[in-house]
Amino acid sequence: MPDLLEIRDLHKRYGETEVLKGVDCDMAKGDVVCVIGSSGSGKTTMLRCINMLEEFQGGTIRIDGQVIGYDVVEGRRRRKKEAEVARQRALTGMAFQQFNLFPHMTATGNVTLGLVKVKKMAKEEARGLAEQWLDRVGLLSRKDHYPGQLSGGQQQRVAIARAIAMNPKLMLFDEVTSALDPELVNEVLQVIKDLARDGMSMLIVTHEMRFAYEVANRVIFMSQGRIGEEGDPREMFVKPRTERLAEFLKNSTFH
Amino acid sequence: MPVELLAFFDQLWLARFPLLRGLGLTVAISSLAIVAGTLLGVFVGLALTYGARPLRWIVRGYTDFVRGTPVLVLILASFYVLSTVGLHLNAFQAGVLALAVFCSSHVGEIVRGALLAIPAGQTEAAKAIGLTFRQTFIYVLIPQAIRQILPTWVNTAAEMVKASTLLSIIGVGELLLSTQEIISRNFMSLHFYFFAGLLYFAVNFAIERFGNYVERKTSLPT
């Protein structure tokens, strides 16, 4: 059975600086994988390569068997056409650190845009589905509010609903609680935990160690553009095999 | 009422048709220049923001050149110079062309500024749900850019109305030139220039009110 996500020897450079130095990663359907590591270790970059928000210079990424972003024609690597890249991006859903809700649309409008324009769903049907998901994240009563009228935590939950409603095969979370006030973090983490319970496949970059410990069935520790260590959080967090992870965990707070 | 004022109203009544024609022409010239300049300016802004390198350089050269040139020179050039290369425009056409070109370079910069001011996260979020660039532009970027553009655009539109007075130089009978012609008959320069000033103010005030209205209508609740 093909993996849901298969990353092989991923290399990414910004000019002279190599930020990903050969990353491999596999995920099966239903996996919840948390990526931890200090800033600059390449966690976010890896996530952004998966949905082609970043170009990458070497290696392959496959989602559900499809090669993402590039074709190899006569030995030369060529970026796929924009329309194809756009179509492949819909295989994944992404939630961002800064929420990035569209400020000129209501909560419902944010969720239905992709459904109507990308999935070509009828407006009524899209609205029904949007309300269903807004209800799931506990915000049905706020469906006609604009992002500016919502708290950070509420905005992030709408952003998650917007991504999930597109029915992606894999959800990517990029430090979704980092921009939130501490008292708003839990409502967002709770939404993600609920999704995990429903069997959603998720790749989560996070600084919340307690959350990673609770929700992940596998944790990847990234360090200096490589995967430093990976495994079951119950073993990794208790008994880190590498010096680097031990050091990182020592400086992290569990709350 | 002082005799002088009575005389002015007398003359004003006599001059009502030339004045109205002048006002009408001023409004027509300004509207045409603003509409054409804005349409062209949107493309200029797009080219400046997203254009491939050679195109971007050409358009950058165009805007810098136009913005660095006095409007009066643009007007004279489009009236006198274009005819030397076989493009014969009458004064009205040449004037509208010059103002539209001038307007487009300003609108181009406004559009570019507004597009660049939208956080990159907006485009990324749109990409992440699978929107193509065209869809992102139409549904995500434009609605946000318009709200940014509006206040400055109103300003530019008012500038165009004021710049239209310069067409009097090449003999377009807009409000200023008709006022001057009226004054040459009755020598009441103070009164009629003041009156023309009031009319210009009225036009620009209307533009500003309209801008405020649209701004209010499109503002987002917080």
Side-chain angles (χ1 to χ4, degrees):
Chain A
M1 183 186 134
D3 280 344
L4 171 67
L5 174 71
E6 182 191 294
I7 301 179
R8 288 290 171 270
D9 198 29
L10 181 64
H11 286 264
K12 159 80 186 167
R13 273 189 308 275
Y14 290 107
E16 293 291 294
T17 328
E18 192 165 38
V19 281
L20 295 177
K21 303 167 183 167
V23 172
D24 296 271
C25 174
D26 290 274
M27 277 180 70
K29 201 168 173 301
D31 272 357
V32 177
V33 177
C34 280
V35 188
I36 60 171
S38 46
S39 34
S41 60
K43 337 180 270 299
T44 290
T45 307
M46 176 179 80
L47 211 64
R48 290 166 59 88
C49 286
I50 294 172
N51 68 357
M52 286 295 285
L53 286 181
E54 299 284 352
E55 316 269 307
F56 50 95
Q57 287 77 31
T60 52
I61 298 175
R62 279 194 175 81
I63 298 173
D64 220 21
Q66 291 188 43
V67 179
I68 298 299
Y70 299 89
D71 288 317
V72 177
V73 185
E74 291 163 4
R76 290 185 52 183
R77 212 159 157 270
R78 213 184 296 153
R79 196 178 193 275
K80 288 182 196 283
K81 290 209 172 65
E82 201 49 48
E84 176 67 6
V85 172
R87 197 190 58 74
Q88 288 191 329
R89 282 198 182 106
L91 292 170
T92 56
M94 184 153 182
F96 299 84
Q97 185 175 350
Q98 300 295 343
F99 334 136
N100 297 344
L101 285 181
F102 306 130
H104 57 294
M105 296 177 182
T106 61
T108 309
N110 266 277
V111 183
T112 53
L113 181 67
L115 297 173
V116 173
K117 299 303 169 192
V118 179
K119 296 251 178 214
K120 311 290 177 202
M121 213 176 259
K123 281 213 176 86
E124 273 315 306
E125 194 189 351
R127 201 168 302 140
L129 191 60
E131 285 176 9
Q132 204 177 311
W133 276 108
L134 287 172
D135 194 22
R136 278 290 308 275
V137 300
L139 288 173
L140 189 57
S141 62
R142 298 275 190 275
K143 68 186 170 76
D144 296 322
H145 285 51
Y146 285 84
Q149 299 171 301
L150 301 172
S151 75
Q154 292 172 335
Q155 289 189 50
Q156 191 60 287
R157 281 144 69 197
V158 173
I160 292 171
R162 173 175 72 179
I164 296 271
M166 295 295 289
N167 193 23
K169 295 190 180 302
L170 169 66
M171 264 303 293
L172 308 170
F173 292 86
D174 183 14
E175 299 186 23
V176 287
T177 58
S178 297
L180 294 175
D181 291 338
E183 72 269 24
L184 302 176
V185 167
N186 269 329
E187 63 187 67
V188 173
L189 295 184
Q190 193 54 49
V191 165
I192 302 177
K193 283 181 190 164
D194 291 346
L195 291 170
R197 201 168 326 122
D198 292 352
M200 185 79 211
S201 314
M202 299 191 279
L203 186 58
I204 305 169
V205 171
T206 185
H207 288 296
E208 303 284 338
M209 294 302 145
R210 159 80 48 195
F211 166 73
Y213 185 85
E214 287 171 3
V215 78
N217 51 21
R218 199 162 90 246
V219 167
I220 293 176
F221 169 64
M222 284 192 76
S223 167
Q224 297 176 347
R226 293 197 174 81
I227 290 185
E229 199 170 316
E230 72 176 287
D232 188 316
R234 273 157 290 261
E235 291 164 18
M236 264 175 81
F237 283 7
V238 180
K239 242 200 217 156
R241 292 188 300 271
T242 58
E243 195 61 35
R244 283 223 179 86
L245 178 57
E247 187 67 18
F248 175 77
L249 290 173
K250 210 171 76 192
N251 293 324
S252 306
T253 45
F254 286 78
H255 47 72
Chain B
M1 201 181 276
V3 181
E4 205 186 312
L5 214 52
L6 279 176
F8 166 65
F9 283 125
D10 205 27
Q11 288 299 317
L12 188 61
W13 182 250
L14 281 176
R16 65 192 186 277
F17 290 120
L19 273 177
L20 276 177
R21 249 197 316 277
L23 179 65
L25 210 50
T26 286
V27 170
I29 292 164
S30 311
S31 328
L32 278 174
I34 290 166
V35 170
T38 302
L39 288 177
L40 187 59
V42 169
F43 285 103
V44 168
L46 284 180
L48 286 177
T49 322
Y50 303 114
R53 209 155 286 154
L55 176 67
R56 204 162 70 219
W57 285 338
I58 293 169
V59 176
R60 166 59 53 209
Y62 165 85
T63 53
D64 284 354
F65 178 75
V66 171
R67 290 197 312 153
T69 313
V71 199
L72 186 55
V73 173
L74 287 176
I75 291 166
L76 293 173
S78 79
F79 188 49
Y80 293 111
V81 179
L82 286 183
S83 64
T84 64
V85 294
L87 189 59
H88 297 287
L89 300 178
N90 63 32
F92 177 84
Q93 294 164 335
V96 169
L97 175 68
L99 290 182
V101 163
F102 180 68
C103 182
S104 75
S105 69
H106 282 262
V107 171
E109 287 293 344
I110 298 170
V111 169
R112 186 183 79 99
L115 287 172
L116 289 181
I118 299 173
Q122 290 292 308
T123 312
E124 291 183 352
K127 280 180 179 172
I129 53 175
L131 294 181
T132 60
F133 179 74
R134 210 177 65 90
Q135 291 171 323
T136 304
F137 188 70
I138 296 173
Y139 302 111
V140 177
L141 299 181
I142 289 203
Q144 295 184 57
I146 284 179
R147 292 178 171 87
Q148 286 264 340
I149 288 168
L150 210 62
T152 342
W153 181 84
V154 167
N155 224 352
T156 305
E159 285 300 324
M160 299 313 295
V161 175
K162 290 187 257 175
S164 73
T165 54
L166 293 169
L167 297 203
S168 58
I169 298 287
I170 54 171
V172 178
E174 43 67 71
L175 182 53
L176 181 66
L177 188 61
S178 19
T179 304
Q180 284 170 333
E181 283 167 0
I182 292 159
I183 291 170
S184 69
R185 279 196 296 273
N186 59 29
F187 303 105
M188 301 180 77
S189 52
L190 185 66
H191 299 86
F192 275 91
Y193 277 133
F194 185 74
F195 187 74
L198 278 182
L199 289 180
Y200 278 112
F201 173 75
V203 172
N204 277 344
F205 189 70
I207 291 177
E208 198 202 305
R209 298 313 306 174
F210 174 71
N212 282 350
Y213 170 79
V214 178
E215 223 174 298
R216 240 187 357 263
K217 278 275 155 191
T218 56
S219 77
L220 298 169
T222 46

